[in-house]
Amino acid sequence: MTSKYYQQFKHTYLAVDCVTFCFTGEDLEIILIKRDFEPGYGEWALPGIFLEPDESLEECTQRIMKRFTGLENVFFEQFHIFSDPKRDPGDRIVTVGFYALIKVDNNVKKKVSEHKAYWYKLSRMPKLMFDHNQIVDRALESLRQKVKQQPVGFELLPKKFTIPQLQKLYEAIYSRSFDKRNFRKKVLSLKVLEQLAEKDKESSKKGAFLYRFDKKKYLALQKKGYNFEI
Amino acid sequence: MTSKYYQQFKHTYLAVDCVTFCFTGEDLEIILIKRDFEPGYGEWALPGIFLEPDESLEECTQRIMKRFTGLENVFFEQFHIFSDPKRDPGDRIVTVGFYALIKVDNNVKKKVSEHKAYWYKLSRMPKLMFDHNQIVDRALESLRQKVKQQPVGFELLPKKFTIPQLQKLYEAIYSRSFDKRNFRKKVLSLKVLEQLAEKDKESSKKGAFLYRFDKKKYLALQKKGYNFEI
DNA sequence: GCAAAAGTGTTCGGGCTACACCCATGA
DNA sequence: TCATGGGTGTAGCCCGAACACTTTTGC
């Protein structure tokens, strides 16, 4: 079945490494695992697996997510391929960098701990295996870019969230603070948030109104060219 | 030398396909070749080759450029990986999409014709082999994105160029027209163009002043966050 | 009553948009 | 002298940035 012409060429090991972002309410964190085989045994690494012959890279990424967090239909995006022939001392491995955005719940926590995996704050990344620190840096850069063009931040928040929560998320993504009046004005001006009657009283006595992301309105907005520069 | 753990996994064919943009003064064009082997024999396709075991994808892209245009040190960028297991009927090939920006001269023309390759206007793309039309679409989308963040347009122009030329390039990239007063104001406001004493008289009787791109000033600008939205 | 977070309006300046006419020159 | 493309200025508007006080309520 393989084309004759193709047979003269060599194959390559192709892997996916996934930077799995989640939001604690205060910080952006990613999942790291303790590598349990050589090379790199005992070092911190991104969850990753090899591509199977009959799956696309996107299916492969879903497989990583399923294995390490139990989640399906996660939002993710490929952002860069790392192909330095010497990047992995064990062999020539080309790896595709994906980032995923997840909401953490107890099921996820359980699954993650089964894999001896841990969350680490982006602001306190340890030294990672091989070129994984670069992969993380690049993932964050791509996420920052993405956030300006699509309201992907909602992937990291519960279905109902408050505006101060949303602002803290954006502050975590950009590592800077925003003026709360301007922030609120800007997100509401996009008209993709629906205010609910309920309030969230977890973080203040007064309580903050909950909002829901309105996908229909967003799709209409996207046609006109979404823009969310803060 | 291969890590023992890795040996249980399968390899994949990994290729690079390159969308090679150039600018005629009026239109954006890319290089296409007539495929001369199966599968896809006789169809229009992007220039592409398989990754060799000891090279990075970036080196592989330079090799494509060298082979098809004779050029070295070309500006290029990876933009997406295409990994649908069925995208190539000859076998399972994962391909990395790169785009390159080149200036065409007579040497390039000669080299390109040796490969039975041709230039095609983006606005008149023929039906391409496999998923190559999608690859081209995505390359253009990425180029449009890139142009807002870096002055890569200069890679497509001769060293000395006029502002009307630059405007035509941006119009070709975005498939829309700009007001010439506003365009000039905007590019000059970035202060990365150096006006020369000479004029170009090719396209008008009055002649248009030539400008040169000032890399030093650009690097200073980049630190502050380059932005070129038109 | 006080601490702690939520919520709200206004002013200013810079940049984008839209728009019309004169200039230089070769033919 | 005329046709062709190069070059210039201004006014209005919108948006982003900066900034301080009131509200609610649990303790």
Side-chain angles (χ1 to χ4, degrees):
Chain A
M1 159 74 189
T2 294
S3 141
K4 238 185 178 174
Y5 176 81
Y6 293 167
Q7 286 174 23
Q8 62 187 298
F9 298 102
K10 299 242 171 66
H11 300 237
T12 313
Y13 279 120
L14 193 54
V16 171
D17 285 310
C18 193
V19 179
T20 310
F21 290 104
C22 65
F23 182 57
T24 59
E26 289 295 331
D27 296 285
L28 263 192
E29 297 189 345
I30 64 172
I31 296 178
L32 295 179
I33 57 167
K34 271 269 187 204
R35 175 96 152 184
D36 59 0
F37 52 85
E38 288 292 354
Y41 185 94
E43 295 185 59
W44 289 111
L46 294 167
I49 56 183
F50 284 93
L51 182 72
E52 293 288 339
D54 57 349
E55 70 181 352
S56 68
L57 288 162
E58 288 71 23
E59 286 159 351
C60 183
T61 307
Q62 290 289 18
R63 202 152 55 81
I64 297 180
M65 283 296 98
K66 177 79 179 162
R67 180 189 298 181
F68 286 91
T69 68
L71 293 169
E72 302 185 34
N73 294 319
V74 163
F75 175 90
F76 60 81
E77 192 95 1
Q78 49 162 277
F79 60 92
H80 198 76
I81 318 181
F82 300 84
S83 62
D84 180 339
K86 299 200 166 62
R87 58 173 293 282
D88 185 326
D91 201 342
R92 197 281 156 86
I93 316 274
V94 172
T95 195
V96 184
F98 273 77
Y99 63 81
L101 306 181
I102 66 168
K103 307 185 223 300
V104 179
D105 60 21
N106 287 332
N107 290 332
V108 174
K109 280 184 189 156
K110 197 176 146 214
K111 194 82 179 182
V112 166
S113 67
E114 278 171 22
H115 284 88
K116 293 179 200 151
Y118 301 90
W119 276 282
Y120 268 84
K121 293 188 202 312
L122 269 186
S123 50
R124 296 168 169 256
M125 261 312 102
K127 160 95 183 67
L128 306 183
M129 186 185 77
F130 310 162
D131 55 357
H132 284 201
N133 284 96
Q134 280 174 54
I135 297 178
V136 172
D137 291 347
R138 196 120 191 179
L140 179 60
E141 209 179 288
S142 300
L143 176 62
R144 285 177 176 169
Q145 202 57 42
K146 186 76 181 172
V147 154
K148 292 180 187 173
Q149 289 154 30
Q150 266 185 48
V152 291
F154 304 107
E155 304 286 347
L156 290 160
L157 291 172
K159 285 202 172 167
K160 301 172 182 181
F161 53 88
T162 67
I163 293 196
Q165 273 168 18
L166 185 62
Q167 179 172 348
K168 279 191 176 162
L169 171 59
Y170 277 81
E171 290 178 337
I173 292 174
Y174 285 108
S175 303
R176 53 166 289 212
S177 60
F178 299 105
D179 179 277
K180 64 178 176 167
R181 280 164 294 191
N182 294 340
F183 184 87
R184 176 181 295 265
K185 218 183 306 170
K186 176 80 193 190
V187 296
L188 292 178
S189 76
L190 294 172
K191 298 189 175 162
V192 293
L193 294 188
E194 184 190 351
Q195 183 172 354
L196 305 176
E198 319 156 59
K199 280 192 165 189
D200 170 272
K201 297 220 168 190
E202 298 236 329
S203 68
S204 79
K205 290 155 188 169
K206 182 178 177 182
F209 278 107
L210 288 162
Y211 287 79
R212 195 160 49 187
F213 174 56
D214 184 333
K215 258 201 175 147
K216 279 184 202 163
K217 286 190 184 165
Y218 162 63
L219 290 172
L221 178 64
Q222 202 171 32
K223 283 182 194 164
K224 294 185 221 156
Y226 178 91
N227 176 283
F228 192 74
E229 293 264 1
I230 302 200
Chain B
M1 160 75 190
T2 295
S3 138
K4 239 186 176 173
Y5 177 82
Y6 293 168
Q7 286 174 23
Q8 63 186 297
F9 297 103
K10 299 242 171 65
H11 301 236
T12 313
Y13 280 121
L14 192 54
V16 171
D17 284 309
C18 192
V19 179
T20 311
F21 289 106
C22 65
F23 182 57
T24 60
E26 289 295 329
D27 296 285
L28 260 192
E29 297 189 346
I30 64 171
I31 297 178
L32 295 180
I33 57 168
K34 271 269 184 205
R35 175 94 152 185
D36 59 358
F37 53 84
E38 288 292 355
Y41 184 92
E43 294 186 61
W44 289 111
L46 295 168
I49 54 183
F50 284 94
L51 182 72
E52 294 288 340
D54 56 350
E55 69 181 355
S56 68
L57 289 160
E58 288 71 23
E59 286 158 351
C60 184
T61 305
Q62 290 289 17
R63 202 152 55 82
I64 297 181
M65 284 295 98
K66 177 79 179 163
R67 180 189 298 181
F68 287 91
T69 68
L71 295 169
E72 302 186 34
N73 293 318
V74 163
F75 176 91
F76 59 81
E77 193 97 0
Q78 51 162 276
F79 59 91
H80 197 76
I81 318 182
F82 301 84
S83 62
D84 181 340
K86 298 201 167 64
R87 56 173 294 281
D88 185 326
D91 201 343
R92 197 283 156 82
I93 316 274
V94 171
T95 195
V96 184
F98 274 78
Y99 63 81
L101 306 181
I102 66 168
K103 307 185 223 301
V104 179
D105 60 20
N106 286 332
N107 291 332
V108 174
K109 278 184 189 156
K110 196 176 148 215
K111 195 82 179 182
V112 166
S113 66
E114 277 171 24
H115 283 88
K116 293 182 198 148
Y118 302 90
W119 311 99
Y120 267 84
K121 292 188 202 313
L122 268 186
S123 51
R124 294 167 171 258
M125 263 308 106
K127 159 96 182 70
L128 306 182
M129 185 185 77
F130 310 161
D131 56 355
H132 285 201
N133 284 98
Q134 281 173 54
I135 297 178
V136 171
D137 291 347
R138 196 119 191 181
L140 179 60
E141 208 179 286
S142 300
L143 176 61
R144 285 177 175 167
Q145 201 57 43
K146 186 75 182 174
V147 153
K148 291 178 187 171
Q149 289 155 29
Q150 266 184 47
V152 291
F154 304 107
E155 304 286 346
L156 291 159
L157 291 172
K159 284 201 172 168
K160 300 171 181 182
F161 53 87
T162 68
I163 293 195
Q165 274 169 18
L166 185 63
Q167 182 172 345
K168 278 192 175 161
L169 171 59
Y170 276 82
E171 289 178 338
I173 292 173
Y174 284 109
S175 302
R176 54 164 290 212
S177 60
F178 299 105
D179 178 276
K180 64 177 175 167
R181 281 164 294 193
N182 294 339
F183 183 86
R184 177 181 294 265
K185 218 184 306 171
K186 177 77 193 193
V187 295
L188 291 179
S189 77
L190 293 173
K191 299 192 175 159
V192 294
L193 294 188
E194 182 190 352
Q195 184 173 355
L196 305 177
E198 319 156 58
K199 281 192 165 189
D200 170 273
K201 296 219 167 188
E202 298 236 329
S203 69
S204 81
K205 290 154 189 170
K206 182 178 176 182
F209 278 107
L210 288 163
Y211 287 79
R212 196 160 49 188
F213 174 57
D214 185 334
K215 260 202 173 148
K216 277 184 203 162
K217 286 189 183 164
Y218 163 61
L219 291 173
L221 178 64
Q222 202 172 32
K223 284 183 195 164
K224 293 186 222 153
Y226 177 91
N227 176 282
F228 192 75
E229 293 264 1
I230 300 202

